[in-house]
Amino acid sequence: MATVAEAAAAAPEPLGRLDQTLLIFAGLMEGGKEDEETVRELGELTRLLNDDVEVTKKGETSVTTVIDSDCVDTILCYLDMRQPDVVRAHAALCTSAYLKAAGEDGGKKLAEFFDDRVRRGTYDDYIVAFCVAATIFPIVPDLTSDLFLSEGFLGNLGPLMRRKWKSRKVETACLEMLNAACMHSACREAVQKYCTEWLEEIVDQDPDDAVKSMHAADPDMHLQGGSISMRRHSLQVQNLAAVVLAKLRAVPSTTAAPGTEPRIQPATTSIEDLSKRFTRMLLDEEETEHVQSSIEGLAYASLQPKVKESLSKDSKTLKRLVKALDDAPPRSPMIYGTLSVFANLTRYRPIETDEEKRIRQLKAYANAGGKVQPDPLNEDEHVTARCKRVFEAGLTPVLIKQSKSGSAASLALIISIIHALSTPPPLRGQLAQQGAVRLLIAAWTALPEKETQPKRAAAQALARILISTNPVLVFGGTRPIPQSAAIRPLASIITPDATADRRDLLPTFESLMALTNLASTDDDTRKSIIRTAWDDIEEQLFNTNPRVCTAAVELVCNLVQDPEQTLALFGDGTPKSVNRVKVIVALADAEDAKTRSAAGGALASLTAFDEVVRTVTELERGAEVVLGLCRDEREDLRHRGAVVVRNMVFAEGEVGKQARKRLLEDGAVEALMGCAKSSKSQEVVAVVVQAAEGLMKDGEV
């Protein structure tokens, strides 16, 4: 019997990384295997290539040294559209890993493969070359664009696509390559230049006329859809060509001078015509395999104002898009495409100052040679109408469903759509009823900190909804989300975005208003707001924008309804609390009536505490400002002033005595008499009477 040592010596040594690579390629080149085995081998090769970067840093030989042109050919051929989707997906990952590990040598071998296949010129070679280009465009766009823009390549596609005998697979592979290439600006310009004419010929072909002419020439001809025995383009090819044209039409040329037009205007298929085609494809229940193409086309066509408007008015198409989104598998291209359509339909123009608007209009006028004016369909009233139509199509519940399993990119689009839908106030309550608040809070929490804009958009949409709805109805009852969960998102946008080109105060204003609404509910919520956001809230009290400043004061007014927090912030006698009282008193004397009203309300609550009364009394103009409220022309402000006076004169001990003395010196009797005469409300008069009685406590009146 062999000893343990002899058995160990006889056991085969584990293969090194280079040998493993060669063994995997031997299996991949063999072919005839089950898809599962092929996928497993591609996955193992991808792992080796991904590890290669780190391993070579330690001095080991790179596995790419044993990957020659035949090996590269093997990997790339698995990108063929005739391969199963699962195999193509793993081959794409493997190709990406190889190009990263091999560097310049990998790019060189890829170029050799592409040039060789195109030069051979058989249908099979074209299919593989075009499929490879379509797949690697997003992976290595610069390298692929060099191949794509090589001399004569695009020019030769026209004759290929115009051949008498058509191959659906060649044409499909070619158009998918063009579709991917349109994401690259230089390639898109080249496609526009060399391919537009024959793309339009494909789209405009009438299949029935083509079939009739073929039968007339040869009545016995056997037709096979899109095979090389046909002289017409298949419907799938026509649809793909339409998608490519939509991308060319939707994205303006960057090479043409502004306001210039070509001397000869060819007959072109308009973006509106393409949109109608995509809509027909989408609604055709017998052609469900074209839904993806139609949605991709609409995602680009709907960038145009006329298409947005017509599409939003087509309730049948909107509901079909909602259904397509509802039925789409998680993280599929269908989801992103459909969300893009809805994002385009609901997108508002960025808010501009009057100066920014004037400059934009002047630039547009100059660039267009004075001929083109901004499209009125992009104005807010039209966007609002589109938002209402999209909402009525039943989109919100589907957005909530897809937000739970979507990618970060899809989640950002969902947020942008909800953000737009929350702009019209009439939709906010319905959004809350359908679960948008929970979606926005969950999205804000899930997104990483680096996703600044989507997080801010989610918080702003949340603020808008909470401004217009009763928090008790949104968070109360058996609902699983606590009210406190909304505070951190809202607090995150109190401070304007530091990375933005200009200072946008609308999110600040809306977050303060929403927090004010929440602060009206209970002490626990008020404590949580103060704990989370007090420093930012206090900073906004000094904001030079009257609306923001007023919103901050109104929030403070609600926050100081909690006695414990009032004492901690304003009534502990420290220099900080004294300064805070000074700020509120100063704001009670502001020019803006709403700011005075909010500050007066805050003082009415704060002066219930003797330490705050002491501070107001000791301020040089404290009593004068309070009596100024009593003299205001607005009754609500006079009411607030009378309450403050009443609180001050009824303060305990020496604090109350000093307050009464100071008020009398500054004309309290006259102010209260005028307040009573000017006020129609019995409630105000009653408060004035109480304040006057308090002034008499020391018998000095």
Side-chain angles (χ1 to χ4, degrees):
M1 178 180 293
T3 65
V4 174
E6 291 172 338
E13 295 183 6
L15 292 175
R17 297 175 64 254
L18 302 186
D19 291 333
Q20 290 180 52
T21 303
L22 290 173
L23 186 62
I24 290 171
F25 272 110
L28 291 172
M29 291 178 181
E30 182 180 339
K33 297 181 178 180
E34 294 292 331
D35 294 341
E36 291 79 2
E37 189 174 353
T38 302
V39 165
R40 186 168 59 253
E41 290 178 338
L42 287 169
E44 185 61 24
L45 180 58
T46 302
R47 183 189 64 78
L48 289 169
L49 290 166
N50 284 332
D51 294 344
D52 198 65
V53 176
E54 294 299 323
V55 170
T56 52
K57 289 180 181 178
K58 300 175 182 178
E60 294 189 29
T61 304
S62 170
V63 297
T64 60
T65 58
V66 298
I67 300 178
D68 58 15
S69 297
D70 289 338
C71 293
V72 173
D73 190 294
T74 299
I75 299 173
L76 296 179
C77 283
Y78 280 109
L79 297 173
D80 191 326
M81 63 188 298
R82 293 166 292 190
Q83 291 285 350
D85 289 343
V86 65
V87 173
R88 293 185 70 192
H90 281 79
L93 294 174
C94 189
T95 302
S96 175
Y98 168 71
L99 292 173
K100 181 179 179 181
E104 289 185 13
D105 184 61
K108 182 180 178 181
K109 285 185 170 62
L110 176 64
E112 290 173 353
F113 169 88
F114 189 78
D115 291 340
D116 180 58
R117 292 285 177 159
V118 172
R119 188 170 54 251
R120 292 184 198 176
T122 68
Y123 276 151
D124 277 346
D125 289 313
Y126 277 134
I127 290 170
V128 175
F130 296 159
C131 288
V132 169
T135 302
I136 66 173
F137 244 114
I139 300 172
V140 281
D142 292 337
L143 173 60
T144 316
S145 63
D146 290 341
L147 303 177
F148 189 81
L149 297 173
S150 58
E151 185 177 356
F153 176 68
L154 281 176
N156 290 329
L157 294 182
L160 173 65
M161 299 298 282
R162 284 168 168 152
R163 285 183 180 181
K164 181 178 180 180
W165 304 110
K166 313 295 183 187
S167 167
R168 179 179 58 81
K169 286 186 170 60
V170 170
E171 293 184 327
T172 299
C174 177
L175 291 168
E176 287 182 348
M177 174 185 66
L178 294 184
N179 195 20
C182 283
M183 304 303 293
H184 189 281
S185 58
C187 294
R188 185 171 60 251
E189 297 288 349
V191 173
Q192 178 84 48
K193 180 178 180 180
Y194 291 104
C195 306
T196 299
E197 186 177 344
W198 58 261
L199 284 168
E200 290 182 346
E201 290 175 5
I202 294 174
V203 173
D204 293 339
Q205 171 198 269
D206 187 331
D208 293 333
D209 289 345
V211 173
K212 289 176 184 176
S213 63
M214 292 162 62
H215 273 291
D218 185 359
D220 297 326
M221 178 176 291
H222 177 64
L223 300 179
Q224 298 174 4
S227 70
I228 58 172
S229 66
M230 293 199 64
R231 286 182 284 181
R232 65 183 177 92
H233 302 286
S234 69
L235 183 60
Q236 179 184 4
V237 167
Q238 285 187 289
N239 293 339
L240 271 173
V243 172
V244 176
L245 275 179
K247 291 186 176 182
L248 300 178
R249 299 280 187 269
V251 183
S253 172
T254 58
T255 57
T260 61
E261 297 179 356
R263 286 176 295 176
I264 300 176
Q265 285 288 337
T268 61
T269 305
S270 70
I271 193 72
E272 290 83 4
D273 293 334
L274 292 170
S275 174
K276 291 175 183 176
R277 180 187 185 90
F278 299 137
T279 300
R280 289 196 302 271
M281 291 162 54
L282 185 63
L283 295 176
D284 190 345
E285 296 181 358
E286 296 181 359
E287 300 291 345
T288 54
E289 69 271 20
H290 302 311
V291 169
Q292 176 63 48
S293 296
S294 65
I295 289 175
E296 185 178 2
L298 285 173
Y300 283 88
S302 59
L303 291 168
Q304 301 302 310
K306 288 183 180 179
V307 176
K308 292 182 190 181
E309 194 70 7
S310 61
L311 187 57
S312 72
K313 292 179 179 178
D314 186 348
S315 60
K316 189 174 181 181
T317 301
L318 287 181
K319 289 178 180 177
R320 180 67 182 89
L321 284 166
V322 171
K323 185 178 186 304
L325 179 61
D326 193 23
D327 295 341
R331 295 177 177 264
S332 65
M334 181 87 76
I335 290 178
Y336 192 83
T338 312
L339 290 173
S340 297
V341 176
F342 286 120
N344 292 340
L345 295 183
T346 58
R347 184 175 292 115
Y348 284 84
R349 281 197 308 212
I351 296 175
E352 299 173 315
T353 63
D354 292 339
E355 180 67 15
E356 288 171 332
K357 189 178 296 184
R358 188 179 66 82
I359 292 173
R360 174 178 58 79
Q361 290 171 343
L362 287 173
K363 285 182 177 179
Y365 187 81
N367 289 341
K371 297 178 182 178
V372 179
Q373 297 297 324
D375 198 312
L377 294 177
N378 283 330
E379 297 295 335
D380 285 358
E381 62 177 295
H382 288 281
V383 183
T384 296
R386 292 198 289 269
C387 284
K388 290 179 180 177
R389 296 181 199 120
V390 167
F391 179 81
E392 289 166 359
L395 178 62
T396 309
V398 181
L399 293 180
I400 292 169
K401 170 188 172 182
Q402 294 295 358
S403 69
K404 296 174 182 177
S405 57
S407 63
S410 295
L411 189 57
L413 280 178
I414 290 171
I415 290 170
S416 74
I417 296 167
I418 296 291
H419 182 270
L421 295 180
S422 69
T423 303
L427 296 183
R428 295 173 183 173
Q430 298 176 73
L431 285 169
Q433 290 174 358
Q434 295 182 9
V437 168
R438 186 177 184 186
L439 182 160
L440 292 167
I441 293 174
W444 186 90
T445 305
L447 285 168
E449 289 300 322
K450 64 180 181 179
E451 298 290 341
T452 306
Q453 292 310 312
K455 283 180 80 78
R456 290 186 67 85
Q460 188 177 11
L462 177 65
R464 289 172 174 171
I465 294 172
L466 293 179
I467 287 171
S468 303
T469 54
N470 185 340
V472 175
L473 299 178
V474 176
F475 298 103
T478 58
R479 290 173 176 80
I481 187 164
Q483 187 168 270
S484 59
I487 294 173
R488 285 183 61 239
L490 295 174
S492 71
I493 56 171
I494 294 176
T495 303
D497 184 5
T499 64
D501 294 334
R502 69 178 182 85
R503 195 161 172 257
D504 184 8
L505 292 176
L506 183 59
T508 301
F509 174 74
E510 291 175 332
S511 65
L512 292 170
M513 292 289 287
L515 287 169
T516 300
N517 211 5
L518 292 179
S520 67
T521 56
D522 56 63
D523 285 347
D524 286 342
T525 299
R526 288 188 274 268
K527 286 183 174 67
S528 183
I529 293 172
I530 290 172
R531 186 168 55 250
T532 305
W534 173 254
D535 289 343
D536 291 333
I537 295 167
E538 188 173 21
E539 183 181 344
Q540 300 312 314
L541 294 173
F542 301 95
N543 200 299
T544 55
N545 183 292
R547 296 185 67 189
V548 173
C549 179
T550 300
V553 180
E554 289 175 344
L555 175 53
V556 171
C557 184
N558 277 3
L559 291 175
V560 297
Q561 303 307 309
D562 177 5
E564 181 182 338
Q565 297 302 316
T566 302
L567 281 172
L569 293 171
F570 294 90
D572 63 358
T574 62
K576 277 190 174 182
S577 63
V578 170
N579 284 332
R580 287 173 184 142
V581 175
K582 286 181 180 179
V583 171
I584 300 300
V585 171
L587 291 171
D589 194 35
E591 291 185 10
D592 183 74
K594 290 184 177 179
T595 303
R596 293 201 307 275
S597 178
L603 280 176
S605 298
L606 290 170
T607 50
F609 299 91
D610 289 354
E611 193 61 45
V612 176
V613 173
R614 184 197 305 276
T615 302
V616 174
T617 303
E618 292 175 352
L619 291 176
E620 183 179 351
R621 295 186 62 245
E624 179 185 340
V625 170
V626 170
L627 295 175
L629 292 173
C630 296
R631 298 185 180 101
D632 201 280
E633 60 185 23
R634 289 179 45 173
E635 187 158 355
D636 63 317
L637 280 166
R638 293 197 298 271
H639 188 190
R640 286 167 169 76
V643 171
V644 176
V645 172
R646 184 186 64 183
N647 289 346
M648 293 178 70
V649 299
F650 281 103
E652 296 292 332
E654 186 64 24
V655 172
K657 184 176 180 180
Q658 291 300 319
R660 291 188 290 273
K661 179 181 177 182
R662 185 65 184 273
L663 287 167
L664 286 170
E665 290 174 353
D666 286 355
V669 174
E670 178 191 354
L672 290 174
M673 289 178 62
C675 180
K677 290 178 181 178
S678 304
S679 301
K680 297 179 181 180
S681 169
Q682 291 301 313
E683 184 180 1
V684 176
V685 173
V687 174
V688 170
V689 170
Q690 293 170 4
E693 291 175 350
L695 277 173
M696 301 176 188
K697 287 181 69 174
D698 300 323
E700 297 181 10
V701 180

